Amino acid sequence: MRIQILASMLFVMAASARGAVVSYECTSFPEEIGWIRDTFCEPDRYLKNGWLFQHVESGCGGPPNGDRDSYVASVAQFEGEEEFFIEWHMQTTGDSSEIDGVAPALLSAWSFGPVLYHFTIAKDQVRFIRDFDAPTVWTDIEPDVPHTYRLELFGADLYVWYIDGQVIDSGIPGAAYPSFTPSISWRAKSWFLESTTQWDYIRYGTIPEPSSGDFDSDDDVDLDDYYFFQDCITQPNIDAGPGCVWADFDGDSDVDLIDFAHFQAAFTGSDG
Ligand SMILES: [Ca+2]
Ligand SMILES: [Ca+2]
Ligand SMILES: [Ca+2]
């Protein structure tokens, strides 16, 4: 009897851990919702219109040891998740010459095992390092506009990295992720030069069911899902991208008024 109760408790815990997305929407400082902050010297930062701005200079340590403003969170609650994503929307003014110093901007999905996803982002170029022994991937990006970065992970079978909905790299990972005491960290840093990095959001968790309207995989379609649905709305016949497959009810790649009508019909409120 005791074993049965324990087993059912474990099931509930596993189920609640599975159905989740963690989102930082940059409407408050990251540490207010559980990110752990770590700084070097005196980085400036401020919030404006739903964005977090970080300004870093080649400061008190003197080059090459400038300001750094870092955040980290454990993602151990997603260990064993078969379909995991990380998506972030940001831009930076930092020069690509800073990339060798792991600056100006970084987002890293780290582990103590053989699997790692490590993105160093400059104004017009991104470096992607994976699993240490895998070839480094470089890609150019359009400067002075924000980009949507998305990593999708399917157990030990497949990773896919997108920028603005276009596949930049994909393949077989070194291991499933999240695993091996996983954490996600991101930061702005000055190596030799100053820069300003701005973040609109950082979201991660279970990849939602296609055409479900249920962004956060908690088995309802409610106002929490609507917040993210709004981000996905496009003109008819415009591809809404991999981050919006869940919102495309009729499966024609856009998220238009027809999908919105489906979303309204599926809307259950939080009691599901
Ligand atoms: Ca935002
Ligand atoms: Ca939901
Ligand atoms: Ca559609």
Side-chain angles (χ1 to χ4, degrees), residues 41-254:
C41 288
E42 294 179 343
D44 290 334
R45 61 170 193 172
Y46 57 93
L47 297 163
K48 188 178 177 186
N49 299 331
W51 293 72
L52 174 73
F53 289 76
Q54 299 166 300
H55 183 72
V56 292
E57 297 180 349
S58 182
C60 62
N65 286 305
D67 299 335
R68 177 170 53 76
D69 187 36
S70 312
Y71 302 89
V72 64
S74 168
V75 290
Q77 75 269 36
F78 290 102
E79 277 197 58
E81 178 58 68
E82 284 293 308
E83 299 189 352
F84 184 75
F85 78 95
I86 310 169
E87 185 173 306
W88 64 102
H89 187 224
M90 54 82 74
Q91 73 184 89
T92 182
T93 65
D95 195 84
S96 57
S97 64
E98 294 277 285
I99 289 178
D100 281 345
V102 199
L106 164 75
L107 187 140
S108 173
W110 174 266
S111 82
F112 286 95
V115 61
L116 165 77
Y117 300 92
H118 186 279
F119 304 89
T120 309
I121 301 166
K123 175 191 172 96
D124 57 0
Q125 196 171 41
V126 182
R127 181 183 69 181
F128 174 37
I129 294 173
R130 183 177 66 80
D131 301 356
F132 288 116
D133 55 344
T136 299
V137 175
W138 295 84
T139 192
D140 292 336
I141 53 172
E142 185 186 347
D144 306 319
V145 292
H147 296 285
T148 303
Y149 300 85
R150 182 176 177 87
L151 180 66
E152 293 192 344
L153 305 176
F154 301 90
D157 298 331
L158 177 68
Y159 72 89
V160 186
W161 174 38
Y162 300 88
I163 298 178
D164 301 331
Q166 304 298 311
V167 175
I168 305 299
D169 189 38
S170 69
I172 299 170
Y177 189 92
S179 56
F180 305 102
T181 318
S183 62
I184 293 176
S185 64
W186 51 282
R187 74 180 188 199
K189 178 189 154 181
S190 165
W191 192 38
F192 283 96
L193 303 173
E194 70 177 274
S195 62
T196 301
T197 297
Q198 63 186 86
W199 304 80
D200 178 17
Y201 62 74
I202 296 160
R203 303 169 181 164
Y204 58 86
T206 306
I207 295 177
E209 268 308 295
S211 310
S212 66
D214 183 16
F215 176 75
D216 53 6
S217 299
D218 66 347
D219 297 326
D220 64 22
V221 177
D222 66 6
L223 284 175
D224 293 338
D225 303 301
Y226 181 67
Y227 176 87
F228 300 99
F229 189 89
Q230 288 175 299
D231 266 6
C232 286
I233 293 172
T234 57
Q235 297 297 313
N237 306 318
I238 303 284
D239 194 329
C244 294
V245 173
W246 65 279
D248 176 21
F249 279 85
D250 60 0
D252 66 349
S253 298
D254 65 18

